[in-house]
Amino acid sequence: MSREKQVMAKRSVAEVSSEQAKPYKKKKRDCVTDEAKSLHGLSINPRYMKEDLIEYLRREFSSASAAASPTVRTCCTSANDTPIATTTTNNNSNTVTTTSNNNNYRSAEHSSPSCEKLIDPSPFVHCVLPEFITEDHCLDRLQGELQEVTFNEKNNDLYNFHQSYDLAQHTSPQITAFRKLFYTDVLEWMKKVTNVELTNAVDLFCSIYEYTDVLLCHDDELEGRRIAFILYLVPPWGPTDGGTLDLFTTNEVCQPTKVVKSVLPAWNQFTFFEVSPQSFHQVSEVLSKEKTRLSVSGWFHGPSLPRNPEAGQSSKLPLCPSLESETDLLFEWVNPSYLDLEVQSEIREKFELESEIQLQDFLKPEKYSAVNNAFLQSQIEWVHRGPANQRNYHVAANPGTFPKIIADCLRLLQSEILFLFLSNLTGLKLHKDAPVSDDDDEDNVSGGDDDGRHSPEGRNGKNNNNNNTNVQTDPQNSRVSAENRKNLGKSQKDGCSSRSSPEAVSVGLNDCPTTTASSPTSSSSGPAEQQPTKVTNTKTSKCSLPAVAGGASETVKAQPEKVTPDSSEASCSHEVRMWSHGSYTLLRDTEAKSADYALDTFLFFGCEGWQPDYGGYISYIVNGEDEELLTISPAHNSLALVYRDSETLRFVKHINHRITSMPNHKFFDISFIYYE
């Protein structure tokens, strides 16, 4: 089942949403109260019922659809709604904006639209029809009744808005009349216009989009959906209000490339299109703080168009070997408190229980400041990463042009000494010579059970009540329930110890007189903690190193083996990313799906002033389950560590318009994946 199948279903398995019903009240536009205008049925505008127009629409729709997706069609008796509009091209972009001739809420009688403007085959066949319903005053009543129904918050990786239950459940007079219109007259009209054998099944929902609400790129494909439609009940709407229906072009493997057309909402405007492998679209973020985008939308059902198996979906980052380095590199960059062996032990104990932690003030202040300034001031070449149905952000394109301070930071994160250091902090076998714990020695002697990986209490089988560490959790930067922590602990690998041989390397300070067993501040108190996880990864890869004494300046050299997922050499993959308004990743981003287990790390820069309602946080979800396991919030100079398996998915929440209140309107991270 494709990602669109999962996400757009009524009950998506990947959905993280509020299912609690709650009344949603919005201030209403003045409704008609003249009792002389009694309630009555609704009808399609007579201009769209003329036989010559229906014949023209059927011919054009069949021709355009067959050109995009050849298939056998059966002549029927119903019609598809198509947009009547004037089309203009923005000279500053490739986007075409489609605006209705009816942008005055209600207009006087319009002249009949020219047939040439009814159906547009590009980027996929679609129609826009203004003044679709004849009885405009009844739409006033319909709007009022819709605003009184119960709406549920829909919030996950793909969308954020409010939606009603299917309108079949509502008995208000005007909703009933509207439902009857679509179940009968519009269905039959659509069969005639589209020449498609539609069934009697009709999905009908009401949606409300307010400031920062959005529905990201998808194709609506779900078994049985054939025609998607939307009727707008909005106030006067302009391009600066957002909330447009954006249409994407696709490439040779049916992946979305760019928005080439945007349809503005307008009162009583009916828009529809055929659901196909090319029908990628989105509802752009609503930017108006005063207006509400109210609409009724749904699908007519029929035989699905054939589609090829998904191609071009997997986009894995290349594996990189660990780099030869001196141990001094660690002491030059990392906060000395994290090099204290007692602090490392505390961090490790917490990480073994919860599979995640967020370390605040990770870099020395002068190093963090230098890297942060380089990100903000340097002319780094940033390249957009897509496709839009998987991700939308910018990545540094040419490492050869990085400022030296950023290149040095990357060298630190890819160095073999850091592999050892992270192994010390996590207890994972990221390196052949990573340290081994006393618990592991006992398990090896007594035949312990799989390193405690199936224990609800965590990887080392210890109960949370025995944890006396001073490392503290920052609730601002990490959210997860105790029950989820247990569930994450259950995902650990069978019969495979994550620790290393007794010939282990300890990376830390032999003496650290300025620190105690407590760790550096996490926001205000200690390294921020976060929740464990399971996610898709790459195969185990390890590296052998000579022993290094803590505080020495000896060179750590990797074995010169070819780096592959099956290599015994330590390896990782990484990106340098920029996040700004509109950036996101979706759960179907398959970038890291090649190993059973891995350690995700995120080092954040430029996050000063960031707030949770901006979006941009990293959310972890168990595949096939509804509940969010972990949320990592961007925090300046923090290093987030998350151990995940192949059944854990992650996404970066869409960054909304509120981020423009931050001084720089953006932030950065260096994302590494280390493989066991």
Side-chain angles (χ1 to χ4, degrees):
M1 181 181 287
S2 71
R3 171 72 189 124
E4 285 74 33
K5 289 181 183 180
Q6 295 175 330
V7 174
M8 300 308 297
K10 294 179 183 177
R11 288 292 183 269
S12 169
V13 295
E15 183 176 340
V16 185
S17 65
S18 171
E19 293 298 334
Q20 182 178 0
K22 52 184 178 183
Y24 190 92
K25 307 283 185 179
K26 281 298 296 179
K27 57 184 179 182
K28 293 183 279 187
R29 190 164 66 87
D30 291 339
C31 293
V32 174
T33 57
D34 187 355
E35 294 302 327
K37 292 184 176 180
S38 59
L39 289 171
H40 51 74
L42 302 174
S43 61
I44 300 173
N45 191 322
R47 79 179 74 164
Y48 302 124
M49 298 299 291
K50 295 179 180 180
E51 286 300 324
D52 58 342
L53 182 59
I54 290 176
E55 176 59 30
Y56 169 80
L57 292 175
R58 177 167 55 244
R59 185 173 62 252
E60 291 298 308
F61 192 96
S62 297
S63 174
S65 180
S69 302
T71 185
V72 177
R73 291 174 169 273
T74 304
C75 188
C76 239
T77 56
S78 173
N80 226 357
D81 297 25
T82 47
I84 286 185
T86 56
T87 302
T88 58
T89 303
N90 187 333
N91 293 329
N92 297 324
S93 69
N94 295 321
T95 302
V96 176
T97 302
T98 302
T99 58
S100 169
N101 293 327
N102 171 37
N103 213 17
N104 295 322
Y105 227 170
R106 284 185 203 69
S107 303
E109 186 69 16
H110 288 285
S111 59
S112 296
S114 63
C115 289
E116 289 76 13
K117 296 177 181 178
L118 289 179
I119 291 186
D120 189 348
S122 178
F124 50 86
V125 60
H126 63 281
C127 305
V128 179
L129 302 176
E131 298 290 335
F132 182 69
I133 293 178
T134 305
E135 297 79 13
D136 190 79
H137 68 281
C138 290
L139 293 183
D140 278 317
R141 296 178 181 270
L142 175 65
Q143 182 193 48
E145 291 182 5
L146 289 173
Q147 289 171 342
E148 297 299 321
V149 306
T150 298
F151 286 81
N152 296 315
E153 181 183 7
K154 312 295 287 183
N155 184 9
N156 68 3
D157 62 314
L158 188 67
Y159 47 70
N160 185 49
F161 64 101
H162 286 78
Q163 187 180 71
S164 71
Y165 294 114
D166 195 301
L167 295 182
Q169 303 178 26
H170 297 278
T171 58
S172 301
Q174 210 60 58
I175 293 178
T176 301
F178 182 84
R179 187 172 64 239
K180 180 181 178 181
L181 173 69
F182 272 75
Y183 284 3
T184 55
D185 294 355
V186 177
L187 174 61
E188 293 306 309
W189 181 86
M190 191 69 71
K191 289 177 182 178
K192 293 179 182 179
V193 168
T194 63
N195 205 26
V196 173
E197 187 77 49
L198 298 175
T199 70
N200 291 329
V202 181
D203 298 327
L204 208 56
F205 299 89
C206 181
S207 299
I208 285 179
Y209 288 76
E210 295 186 298
Y211 178 57
T212 72
D213 285 349
V214 69
L215 172 58
L216 300 174
C217 180
H218 63 289
D219 65 5
D220 265 7
E221 199 278 330
L222 188 66
E223 187 174 357
R225 291 180 181 175
R226 188 58 183 271
I227 303 295
F229 63 84
I230 182 169
L231 179 78
Y232 296 103
L233 299 171
V234 297
W237 205 272
T240 58
D241 295 323
T244 55
L245 176 64
D246 295 340
L247 310 182
F248 287 80
T249 53
T250 54
N251 59 20
E252 63 280 359
V253 291
C254 289
Q255 291 298 291
T257 52
K258 61 182 178 181
V259 174
V260 295
K261 196 166 189 178
S262 295
V263 179
L264 282 173
W267 177 265
N268 196 10
Q269 175 179 288
F270 185 64
T271 300
F272 73 91
F273 57 85
E274 185 173 41
V275 177
S276 73
Q278 292 83 30
S279 60
F280 283 101
H281 61 283
Q282 67 181 13
V283 176
S284 67
E285 181 183 353
V286 173
L287 303 178
S288 173
K289 296 181 180 180
E290 294 78 28
K291 300 178 184 179
T292 296
R293 184 185 185 273
L294 177 69
S295 64
V296 179
S297 58
W299 298 270
F300 294 107
H301 288 250
S304 299
L305 290 175
R307 62 173 56 221
N308 297 324
E310 290 191 7
Q313 293 295 318
S314 181
S315 174
K316 302 181 185 71
L317 296 174
L319 283 175
C320 302
S322 56
L323 298 179
E324 180 178 306
S325 63
E326 295 182 350
T327 55
D328 278 352
L329 187 64
L330 198 66
F331 305 113
E332 291 172 6
W333 280 83
V334 176
N335 186 327
S337 297
Y338 289 117
L339 302 180
D340 183 283
L341 294 180
E342 291 185 28
V343 172
Q344 291 183 19
S345 178
E346 293 178 3
I347 293 172
R348 176 166 172 165
E349 184 177 359
K350 270 196 170 292
F351 190 88
E352 288 177 345
L353 288 170
E354 300 175 3
S355 296
E356 65 78 29
I357 200 165
Q358 190 160 351
L359 308 176
Q360 301 296 325
D361 302 319
F362 180 71
L363 299 180
K364 289 184 175 179
E366 64 275 14
K367 291 292 187 181
Y368 170 77
S369 179
V371 176
N372 193 54
N373 290 337
F375 273 127
L376 294 173
Q377 299 172 9
S378 301
Q379 298 301 313
I380 298 173
E381 181 184 354
W382 298 100
V383 175
H384 172 259
R385 287 216 63 203
N389 63 331
Q390 295 184 32
R391 62 186 80 86
N392 179 38
Y393 59 90
H394 288 80
V395 61
N398 186 0
T401 63
F402 286 171
K404 183 178 183 303
I405 190 67
I406 294 179
D408 287 346
C409 186
L410 287 172
R411 179 169 166 259
L412 165 72
L413 295 171
Q414 198 176 337
S415 68
E416 293 187 334
I417 193 63
L418 197 82
F419 277 76
L420 287 168
F421 175 68
L422 292 177
S423 295
N424 280 2
L425 293 183
T426 63
L428 301 176
K429 193 172 183 179
L430 305 176
H431 191 283
K432 181 179 179 180
D433 294 325
V436 64
S437 71
D438 293 339
D439 290 340
D440 291 325
D441 288 335
E442 295 173 4
D443 288 342
N444 291 336
V445 172
S446 60
D449 61 343
D450 298 341
D451 199 26
R453 288 175 180 253
H454 288 288
S455 169
E457 289 80 10
R459 289 198 305 272
N460 64 357
K462 293 181 181 179
N463 187 284
N464 283 339
N465 294 332
N466 295 329
N467 179 17
N468 295 320
T469 179
N470 292 325
V471 180
Q472 298 182 14
T473 299
D474 183 357
Q476 172 76 4
N477 297 327
S478 171
R479 301 198 309 268
V480 76
S481 67
E483 186 60 33
N484 280 341
R485 294 177 182 177
K486 292 182 179 181
N487 291 337
L488 286 167
K490 292 177 182 178
S491 71
Q492 307 304 331
K493 183 167 48 177
D494 293 354
C496 178
S497 172
S498 63
R499 285 132 184 121
S500 306
S501 62
E503 297 83 22
V505 179
S506 293
V507 181
L509 296 177
N510 291 330
D511 295 292
C512 187
T514 59
T515 62
T516 65
S518 60
S519 53
T521 59
S522 160
S523 289
S524 59
S525 50
E529 248 188 271
Q530 293 179 236
Q531 281 359 72
T533 3
K534 345 166 184 176
V535 166
T536 52
N537 313 322
T538 350
K539 292 184 180 179
T540 309
S541 55
K542 305 159 184 117
C543 168
S544 61
L545 299 178
V548 178
S553 300
E554 304 166 46
T555 299
V556 182
K557 298 182 179 180
Q559 300 298 325
E561 298 179 26
K562 183 179 179 181
V563 178
T564 68
D566 295 321
S567 173
S568 61
E569 184 174 311
S571 63
C572 58
S573 57
H574 69 274
E575 279 188 310
V576 179
R577 307 183 294 187
M578 178 174 67
W579 302 93
S580 57
H581 181 207
S583 297
Y584 61 85
T585 67
L586 301 180
L587 287 175
R588 64 174 299 164
D589 184 347
T590 57
E591 200 146 68
K593 294 184 177 180
S594 51
D596 292 331
Y597 293 84
L599 179 70
D600 288 343
T601 68
F602 308 96
L603 183 57
F604 295 101
F605 297 90
C607 303
E608 292 82 354
W610 181 90
Q611 296 296 323
D613 59 357
Y614 296 172
Y617 54 80
I618 304 167
S619 182
Y620 283 87
I621 307 292
V622 175
N623 189 19
E625 297 184 13
D626 295 341
E627 194 170 1
E628 183 181 63
L629 294 173
L630 166 68
T631 297
I632 297 174
S633 297
H636 67 277
N637 197 10
S638 70
L639 179 69
L641 308 176
V642 178
Y643 182 62
R644 56 179 175 81
D645 68 15
S646 58
E647 288 303 310
T648 303
L649 309 176
R650 76 176 185 219
F651 66 89
V652 177
K653 183 65 175 176
H654 174 262
I655 298 176
N656 61 54
H657 186 258
R658 292 186 178 96
I659 198 175
T660 57
S661 62
M662 279 180 62
N664 298 306
H665 302 179
K666 58 190 174 186
F667 64 90
F668 310 87
D669 72 6
I670 300 178
S671 170
F672 266 73
I673 304 173
Y674 299 92
Y675 302 106
E676 282 196 278

